[in-house]
Amino acid sequence: MSLFEIRKMSAHLPDPAPRTGGPGSPCSACNVRHLTLCAALDDREVADMSAIVSSVELGPGEPLFDEAEPAKHVFNVTAGAIKIYKLLPDGRRQMTGFLFPGDFLGLANDETYAYSAEAVTFSTLCRFPRKLLEPLLERYPRMERRLLGMASHELAVAQEQMLLLGRKTAREKVASFLLMLSRRAVQRGQKDNPISVPMSRNDIGDFLGLTTETVSRTFTQLKQGGAIALQSNGKVELSDRAALEVISEGA
Amino acid sequence: MSLFEIRKMSAHLPDPAPRTGGPGSPCSACNVRHLTLCAALDDREVADMSAIVSSVELGPGEPLFDEAEPAKHVFNVTAGAIKIYKLLPDGRRQMTGFLFPGDFLGLANDETYAYSAEAVTFSTLCRFPRKLLEPLLERYPRMERRLLGMASHELAVAQEQMLLLGRKTAREKVASFLLMLSRRAVQRGQKDNPISVPMSRNDIGDFLGLTTETVSRTFTQLKQGGAIALQSNGKVELSDRAALEVISEGA
DNA sequence: CCCGGCCATTGATGTAGGTCAAGGACGCCT
DNA sequence: AGGCGTCCTTGACCTACATCAATGGCCGGG
C-alpha cells in the first residue's frame, strides 16, 4: 500500500481540535494543545522545544517500537490512533491501551519500553529524545507537574481496565469499551455519536480479553437489542446510550 | 478481636528492613527508607515533614478509605499489608493491588479516591494531608521526581496485571502471583522463600479475576506438581521456582 | 472443654466464552 | 472485470472456570 493511498484513506479524519479551558498555550512543535506535554509551556518555551522535537509518520499496522527495546524517545500522538500491547511468549496479546491525539507514550522507568506500540490508522507523532527529558523537567517544573498528573490519570484508567478485564462479562466489556471511545472522542473535541471505531475486531478482543468471534457476536447482540447501530464506514452509532451505561455496569 | 490480640498476631512480621543503594536518607517520619516519598529528602527536610505527618493503625479488615470518598490524605504503608480494590454496583470486586511497607497510596487526580483501601493484616501507615502535597512538591522538586518515578513504575505493574487478567489461565495467574509476592518480599529485604501470603483465597481470587474455589484448586494442583508446598502458618514455599517461572509465562 | 464462625478444600454440575470451521463482504492489485 | 487477501459474521461444538453444595480444620469466645 502506497503512503499516498494511506494518506488519502485517512483524509476524512477530523483534525485534532483545540481544547477549551485549562492552563497553558498551544504547542507549535506538536500542534496539539493542553493534553500534551508542551501544554505546560508558554510560547517562548515552545519555541525552544521545537528545536529538539521531530515528527514521525506511520501507516496502518506500522510499528513505532517494541517491548524491551531501548527507550530512546518519548512521543506525543498528534493524529491518528496508536495501539499499545504486551505479548506472552506463545503470542497471546493484551492491548493495554489505544492512544489518540494528545496522548503521551514512551515514559519508562528503566531503559527499555514496557510495551510495544503500533499504528492503527495513519498516524503522526511528535518525538522527543528521552535523554533530554530529565534536564527539561528540571528546567520547566510545570511540565513535570503535568506529567505527574497524566501518569496518575493513566493509573486510574488502568485500574478501571483491570476491573473490566477481571470482573465484567463480554456484554459489559463491549458496552464499556464503546462508551469509553465516545467519552474520549468528546475530550478530543470530536463528535461523540456516531463514534469512529478504527481498530479491528481482533484488536478490540485483545483489548477486552475476548476473541474476535465473541466481540463480533456481542456487537450483533447489542445491535439487535437496539443499543447500537453499525455503520459501514467503521463507525458505530450509540442509539441508546442510557442502555449502554446500564449494561456496562452489570445489566 | 482485641487490638492487643491483633498486635500479638502480627508480632512475628519482620520489620521493614533498610534498603540498600539508591539516593536519599531515612525518613524518620514514616520510618521507611528509599521506597517512600520522604526518601528524596535530607534529614532536615524530614524533620520539617514530621510536623505534618501523622500515623494510622488498622486491624485486619479495617477500611482506610472508600472509593469516591473525598481524597483528604495520601499515605505511605509502614507495616503490614493493604489491599486496594474497585467494586461493581452488584458487589463484584476487583483487587487492583496489594501494598506493603514502602508503598504509597492515595495519589488522586481529582478530588476523590479512585479505589477503596482496607487492611489485610494489622498495618500502620504514615498519613499526609493532600492539600499540602502540591506546595511541598513545589518546594522539594526531588520529591516530585520520585513521585513521578513511582507512578510510572505503578503504571508498568498495572499493564503487566492487565496481561495477566486478560490473557493468562488460572494456573499461569497463580504462578505469576506467587512469583510477584516473592519478588516484592526481596525488594523489601525480607526472605523470599517461604513467602508470607497473608491474604485469603477470596482476596487472591479477586486479584486474579478468579473465584476462591479455583484459586484453592490451583494451589493444590501446583502442590501436587511439586512446584510449591503449603505451610500451616499462611506461608507458601516455592519449592521449584524455575517451574513456576515456566508456568507463569505459558506452560 | 465445647461451640460456632470463618476459611480452605473438594466434589458435582452448569455455562460463558473459546475453538474450529465456513461463508460473505469489501477493497486492492493486475 | 476477476482474483485474492483481509476482516467480519455466523454456526456447531468444547472446555476452563464458575456455581452450588458439603465437609473439615482452625481459632476465639463462652
Side-chain angles (χ1 to χ4, degrees):
Chain A
M1 182 180 314
S2 78
L3 206 60
F4 177 73
E5 289 302 323
I6 291 169
R7 283 174 188 279
K8 224 175 52 177
M9 282 171 56
S10 310
H12 68 284
L13 290 175
D15 284 339
R19 314 292 326 299
T20 59
S25 41
C27 168
S28 65
C30 53
N31 196 29
V32 177
R33 293 182 192 224
H34 295 300
L35 276 183
T36 73
L37 190 56
C38 312
L41 304 182
D42 66 28
D43 291 341
R44 191 190 50 75
E45 291 162 352
V46 165
D48 290 353
M49 286 283 293
S50 302
I52 40 180
V53 298
S54 52
S55 186
V56 185
E57 302 193 336
L58 294 175
E62 272 191 75
L64 180 61
F65 54 75
D66 277 335
E67 183 174 349
E69 168 182 320
K72 292 203 169 59
H73 296 93
V74 296
F75 302 87
N76 223 329
V77 183
T78 50
I82 302 288
K83 55 191 180 194
I84 64 181
Y85 57 89
K86 289 175 78 79
L87 293 172
L88 286 170
D90 63 4
R92 279 173 287 172
R93 184 177 65 159
Q94 178 65 46
M95 294 288 174
T96 55
F98 291 109
L99 304 180
F100 300 98
D103 291 333
F104 189 80
L105 73 158
L107 203 56
N109 232 7
D110 46 18
E111 295 302 310
T112 59
Y113 293 116
Y115 48 81
S116 305
E118 182 176 316
V120 175
T121 61
F122 181 85
S123 301
T124 59
L125 301 94
C126 175
R127 183 175 64 189
F128 184 86
R130 200 165 85 80
K131 284 201 308 276
L132 299 180
L133 192 61
E134 189 146 338
L136 196 77
L137 297 184
E138 209 80 53
R139 183 156 168 201
Y140 303 125
R142 267 169 305 163
M143 200 184 260
E144 179 152 33
R145 183 65 41 89
R146 178 154 203 87
L147 218 45
L148 183 57
M150 284 168 59
S152 118
H153 174 72
E154 288 304 303
L155 213 44
V157 170
Q159 286 168 344
E160 189 67 38
Q161 189 69 2
M162 287 189 228
L163 176 62
L164 178 149
L165 288 170
R167 289 308 184 203
K168 289 190 181 180
T169 65
R171 200 178 154 76
E172 291 161 4
K173 285 175 175 181
V174 171
S176 302
F177 174 68
L178 291 172
L179 289 169
M180 185 210 67
L181 280 189
S182 170
R183 287 190 208 106
R184 297 190 64 183
V186 173
Q187 280 166 15
R188 270 173 288 131
Q190 294 179 191
K191 66 181 182 314
D192 66 340
N193 204 358
I195 56 173
S196 163
V197 182
M199 61 290 288
S200 71
R201 295 288 183 268
N202 192 31
D203 285 351
I204 297 172
D206 282 350
F207 182 63
L208 300 176
L210 300 171
T211 59
T212 311
E213 294 93 328
T214 299
V215 173
S216 185
R217 278 187 248 272
T218 307
F219 267 98
T220 54
Q221 191 192 330
L222 289 174
K223 186 177 66 181
Q224 282 162 359
I228 63 173
L230 301 177
Q231 300 185 352
S232 55
N233 48 357
K235 293 198 184 302
V236 175
E237 186 192 326
L238 309 189
S239 327
D240 189 346
R241 187 179 298 261
L244 285 176
E245 300 274 6
V246 171
I247 291 169
S248 73
E249 292 264 297
Chain B
M1 183 180 313
S2 78
L3 206 60
F4 177 73
E5 289 302 322
I6 291 168
R7 281 173 190 279
K8 224 176 48 177
M9 282 172 56
S10 309
H12 69 282
L13 290 174
D15 284 339
R19 316 293 326 296
T20 60
S25 40
C27 168
S28 65
C30 54
N31 196 30
V32 177
R33 293 180 193 227
H34 296 301
L35 276 185
T36 73
L37 191 55
C38 313
L41 304 183
D42 66 27
D43 292 340
R44 191 189 51 75
E45 291 163 350
V46 165
D48 291 353
M49 287 283 293
S50 303
I52 39 178
V53 298
S54 51
S55 185
V56 185
E57 302 193 336
L58 294 175
E62 272 191 74
L64 180 62
F65 55 74
D66 278 335
E67 182 175 350
E69 169 183 319
K72 292 204 169 61
H73 298 93
V74 296
F75 303 86
N76 223 328
V77 183
T78 50
I82 303 287
K83 55 191 180 193
I84 63 181
Y85 58 89
K86 290 175 78 82
L87 294 172
L88 286 170
D90 63 4
R92 277 174 289 171
R93 185 177 66 158
Q94 178 65 46
M95 294 289 173
T96 54
F98 291 109
L99 303 181
F100 300 99
D103 289 333
F104 188 80
L105 72 157
L107 204 57
N109 232 4
D110 45 20
E111 295 303 309
T112 59
Y113 293 117
Y115 49 80
S116 305
E118 182 176 318
V120 175
T121 62
F122 181 84
S123 302
T124 58
L125 300 95
C126 174
R127 182 176 61 188
F128 183 86
R130 201 165 85 77
K131 284 202 307 276
L132 299 179
L133 191 63
E134 189 144 341
L136 195 78
L137 296 183
E138 209 80 52
R139 181 156 169 204
Y140 302 126
R142 268 168 306 160
M143 199 185 262
E144 179 152 33
R145 183 65 42 85
R146 179 156 203 88
L147 217 45
L148 182 57
M150 285 169 57
S152 118
H153 174 72
E154 288 304 302
L155 212 44
V157 170
Q159 285 168 345
E160 190 66 38
Q161 188 69 2
M162 286 190 228
L163 177 61
L164 178 148
L165 289 169
R167 290 305 184 204
K168 289 190 181 178
T169 65
R171 200 176 153 78
E172 291 161 5
K173 285 176 177 181
V174 171
S176 303
F177 174 69
L178 291 172
L179 289 169
M180 186 209 66
L181 281 188
S182 170
R183 288 191 207 106
R184 297 190 63 183
V186 173
Q187 281 166 15
R188 271 174 287 134
Q190 294 180 192
K191 64 183 186 314
D192 66 341
N193 203 359
I195 56 172
S196 162
V197 182
M199 60 292 285
S200 71
R201 296 286 183 271
N202 192 32
D203 285 352
I204 298 172
D206 282 351
F207 183 63
L208 300 177
L210 300 171
T211 59
T212 311
E213 294 93 328
T214 299
V215 173
S216 185
R217 278 186 247 271
T218 308
F219 267 98
T220 54
Q221 189 192 331
L222 290 174
K223 186 177 65 180
Q224 282 162 359
I228 63 172
L230 301 177
Q231 300 185 351
S232 54
N233 49 357
K235 292 197 184 303
V236 176
E237 185 192 327
L238 308 189
S239 328
D240 189 346
R241 190 180 296 262
L244 284 177
E245 300 273 7
V246 171
I247 291 169
S248 74
E249 292 264 297

